[in-house]
Amino acid sequence: MRITRIERIVVDAGHTPTAGRHMRRGLADWALSELCKVTTDTGLVGWGETLPHYTWGVVTDAGVERAMGANPAELLWDDSLGAGLQQALFDVVGKALGVPVHRLMGSAVRARCPLAWWCYDMPPHDWASEAQRGIEAGYTAFKLKARPWFDIVEQVEAVSDATPAHAKLDLDFNGLLVDAGHAKPLLTTLAGNPKVAIFETPIPQTDIGGNRSLRAAVPRPIAMHFDSPPFLTAVREGVCDGFVVGAGAAACLHQGAQAAAANMPLWLQLVGTGITTAFAMHLGAVLPAARWPAISCLNTYAYDLLTEPLSVEHGYVPVPQAPGLGVTVDEDLIHRLRRPDASPLELPRTIYTVRWADGRTADYVDRDVYEPDFLAGNQPVFERGVTLTTTEDDGSVAFDQRYRSIEAVGCLVGSS
């Protein structure tokens, strides 16, 4: 079997209304998916997916050229080919052998894999609404982006009130608690809610002493991205209880084996539509340590790009058992959603206003300015009563003048 054709097709899979409204602040381009369609001289076709604006590895022209004419079975474990091409190779080889992709990866240790419902940072009522949708869709675990421009205590209370007793919340701070001194009191408070299950990266992962002290003080598992700090350092220093793993197939299996040897759980973080989610479920089937709910952000997409959606039952997705990825790509839908390229989406200019309970305000025009400003400790760290609002360009002179004045200084502090 030889590869005769490789197509790269960009589509806009869209986002659901609530997720899309908030992801416009920084992650709108995650809606863009580059599909990889590999055709062989046997007539078999494999599909894969890359998110050009968020991926462990893009598919390059050089990679496509290297794969053309090759036996796909010989390239399965070459992570350098990028996400979409590697997935497509696994799909077509599985189809050729009549086996599901996980059979190519190792021995299955589970027939169902846990999957979490993912939420960007949002006001409490929107998190609660999303959680209710997740429960109705069969999810039981929720991965929530904790940010210091929203009241995290109020957010967690809202989600807790909107979900049944068996729901579990994983809070991802991306280091924005800044240091252990800020983190300990808040994490202890949040851990008082029995639905709060895991804290991810509460402070920067490079702070070994701070993370070690947090783990000793906080009665919840702490997750950190694999190999930051280096794996052996993380284990020896006891900075976390488990890992976040997102990489190519070879790296995922290697990192998963290390986590299993240390008896530390992990969740897979491979973001994309139903195509990527199916691939993640195959990986999860053979990784003993993949006990925490995987993250693919599947719930945020308006279209999963499949003819039949993956089912979520009591928080778990049955691992596909048909040959290859075990899912069928909706080619008619792909034709309708196709875009000429993966250029960033055009969005209106926006002003982001953070308001604290004492009336103080901070205006920004770019997420890439306000998030680092908080991470640097230049703004209050997770105060009660804080909120963020957005104002989009209405075409007025007043908006233009205000926008330009904020842009000139980066952050405009005021009061209301």
Side-chain angles (χ1 to χ4, degrees):
M1 183 169 61
R2 298 287 171 179
I3 297 171
T4 57
R5 188 179 185 189
I6 299 175
E7 301 171 71
R8 291 149 73 188
I9 305 164
V10 177
V11 300
D12 184 347
H15 285 131
T16 59
T18 302
R21 186 170 68 253
H22 294 289
M23 292 174 74
R24 284 166 68 87
R25 285 188 276 112
L27 304 181
D29 294 331
W30 283 22
L32 302 180
S33 169
E34 182 189 80
L35 305 182
C36 197
K37 181 181 181 182
V38 171
T39 303
T40 67
D41 57 4
T42 65
L44 292 173
V45 173
W47 288 91
E49 175 183 41
T50 306
L51 294 193
H53 300 282
Y54 182 83
T55 180
W56 57 265
V58 297
V59 177
T60 64
D61 292 341
V64 168
E65 183 178 353
R66 183 154 50 89
M68 281 295 298
N71 180 341
E74 295 177 352
L75 299 175
L76 290 180
W77 300 104
D78 187 347
D79 291 350
S80 71
L81 292 175
L85 183 49
Q86 185 177 58
Q87 290 174 21
L89 296 179
F90 269 98
D91 188 29
V92 77
V93 171
K95 290 173 179 175
L97 296 176
V99 299
V101 160
H102 64 264
R103 289 281 300 279
L104 304 176
M105 296 174 166
S107 299
V109 296
R110 57 182 64 88
R112 303 180 310 146
C113 293
L115 182 68
W117 181 280
W118 185 89
C119 282
Y120 198 47
D121 55 280
M122 306 176 185
H125 66 275
D126 281 337
W127 263 12
S129 174
E130 282 287 291
Q132 289 173 332
R133 288 184 59 228
I135 292 294
E136 292 169 1
Y139 290 79
T140 59
F142 298 87
K143 163 77 174 290
L144 308 170
K145 286 289 188 180
R147 294 294 183 265
W149 42 85
F150 286 113
D151 185 331
I152 186 61
V153 174
E154 185 180 352
Q155 287 174 304
V156 167
E157 289 174 349
V159 175
S160 184
D161 290 344
T163 54
H166 63 267
K168 297 298 180 184
L169 315 182
D170 301 340
L171 304 179
D172 180 8
F173 293 86
N174 286 106
L176 284 159
L177 275 166
V178 181
D179 55 49
H182 285 103
K184 286 179 184 178
L186 181 58
L187 297 186
T188 300
T189 296
L190 294 171
N193 187 313
K195 293 181 181 178
V196 172
I198 301 172
F199 297 124
E200 179 187 350
T201 314
I203 63 176
Q205 295 191 180
T206 53
D207 184 353
I208 293 174
N211 278 290
R212 184 173 55 235
S213 69
L214 276 183
R215 183 170 176 246
V218 176
R220 289 292 186 276
I222 291 177
M224 297 174 67
H225 285 259
F226 193 93
D227 233 15
S228 174
F231 172 74
L232 290 179
T233 300
V235 174
R236 182 179 63 247
E237 299 294 335
V239 297
C240 65
D241 296 275
F243 299 101
V244 182
V245 171
C252 280
L253 262 63
H254 179 63
Q255 293 172 10
Q258 293 180 79
N263 194 27
M264 298 174 71
L266 65 87
W267 72 64
L268 290 164
Q269 188 156 298
L270 299 171
V271 176
T273 68
I275 300 169
T276 293
T277 304
F279 189 75
M281 297 302 97
H282 287 289
L283 278 169
V286 302
L287 290 173
R291 300 190 291 272
W292 284 344
I295 305 298
S296 73
C297 304
L298 175 64
N299 61 280
T300 67
Y301 287 96
Y303 302 99
D304 64 4
L305 307 184
L306 305 178
T307 58
E308 294 291 335
L310 295 166
S311 63
V312 183
E313 304 166 2
H314 305 291
Y316 288 80
V317 176
V319 179
Q321 297 300 319
L325 288 177
V327 295
T328 301
V329 173
D330 189 336
E331 297 193 57
D332 290 337
L333 177 62
I334 287 169
H335 178 73
R336 297 199 302 272
L337 299 179
R338 189 162 187 167
R339 285 172 50 96
D341 57 45
S343 300
L345 299 171
E346 294 186 8
L347 298 173
R349 295 185 303 173
T350 303
I351 295 171
Y352 308 99
T353 300
V354 182
R355 289 183 174 85
W356 287 271
D358 63 0
R360 180 175 178 270
T361 64
D363 289 335
Y364 302 88
V365 297
D366 192 337
R367 170 181 175 252
D368 290 338
V369 174
Y370 69 77
E371 184 158 327
D373 199 33
F374 277 84
L375 186 59
N378 295 330
Q379 301 294 353
V381 180
F382 286 89
E383 285 194 355
R384 295 301 312 272
V386 64
T387 190
L388 178 144
T389 57
T390 61
T391 306
E392 291 192 348
D393 191 347
D394 59 2
S396 67
V397 173
F399 179 93
D400 182 67
Q401 292 175 340
R402 183 183 172 203
Y403 184 94
R404 292 178 184 276
S405 65
I406 299 168
E407 186 178 39
V409 297
C411 172
L412 187 62
V413 176
S415 60
S416 62

